[in-house]
Amino acid sequence: MIKYKGYGNGILVQINFWEVKMPYISLEVSKAIGEYEKEKLKKGIAEILYKIAEKPEEYLMVNIKERCEIWFKGEKVDCIYIDLKYIGAFSNSIKEKICVQFCKMCFEITEVLPENIYITFSEFEGENWGNNYKIFA
């Protein structure tokens, strides 16, 4: 079943529905941020994942929460936690590039120090992810 068919750089591109690694990103920020910053974070996440992992925004779900009460080393600190969930597996090289770019982007937008930005990569098999009455098996 073909979900997307189009041209990229003059070459016919087909993405099969079951091959797309639909990412879900949950980004929790301990401090208050405005709508402008949220939009910049959402756009930045989409650009990074497209550039590094070739994941188009059409298959991207982003949840940004602000004013989260996050304790680190026993104290409330300005902190960001990002959980990136997706079907399949990225190589360590891809994960490293995503980590570097997410930390840079989050620091530039929120001024949370990179040493207080944590990212988890949660990988799933297709049969553990469902949508529109079916699983991605």
Side-chain angles (χ1 to χ4, degrees):
M1 169 198 236
I2 301 213
K3 183 71 173 171
Y4 169 80
K5 186 174 181 180
Y7 287 91
N9 295 330
I11 301 170
L12 178 65
V13 176
Q14 294 182 354
I15 301 174
N16 292 321
F17 184 74
W18 53 85
E19 291 175 356
V20 174
K21 296 177 181 172
M22 187 284 212
Y24 168 77
I25 295 89
S26 175
L27 189 147
E28 298 177 7
V29 185
S30 62
K31 60 198 253 178
I33 57 174
E35 290 303 313
Y36 177 76
E37 287 80 12
K38 288 179 188 176
E39 184 64 28
K40 282 182 76 171
L41 287 167
K42 181 199 65 88
K43 283 183 174 243
I45 288 167
E47 289 171 6
I48 290 166
L49 289 177
Y50 184 74
K51 185 172 92 176
I52 295 173
E54 299 178 355
K55 299 298 152 208
E57 192 170 8
E58 298 86 54
Y59 298 103
L60 182 62
M61 188 182 297
V62 179
N63 183 14
I64 299 174
K65 299 175 190 170
E66 63 174 315
R67 295 185 182 130
C68 296
E69 293 188 6
I70 301 175
W71 285 264
F72 185 58
K73 298 180 183 177
E75 297 180 24
K76 280 189 182 181
V77 295
D78 284 341
C79 193
I80 294 176
Y81 171 65
I82 302 168
D83 187 21
L84 175 56
K85 298 176 187 253
Y86 50 93
I87 297 169
F90 290 134
S91 68
N92 284 345
S93 172
I94 296 282
K95 291 177 191 177
E96 188 71 33
K97 290 175 185 174
I98 291 170
C99 184
V100 167
Q101 293 303 312
F102 275 10
C103 285
K104 283 182 182 180
M105 174 199 61
C106 288
F107 174 68
E108 289 171 6
I109 296 169
T110 67
E111 298 180 350
V112 171
L113 297 174
E115 57 263 25
N116 290 342
I117 299 172
Y118 287 85
I119 304 165
T120 55
F121 296 87
S122 302
E123 299 175 340
F124 295 89
E125 297 295 324
E127 63 265 14
N128 294 319
W129 200 294
N131 169 255
N132 197 20
Y133 302 107
K134 59 188 173 286
I135 58 173
F136 290 85

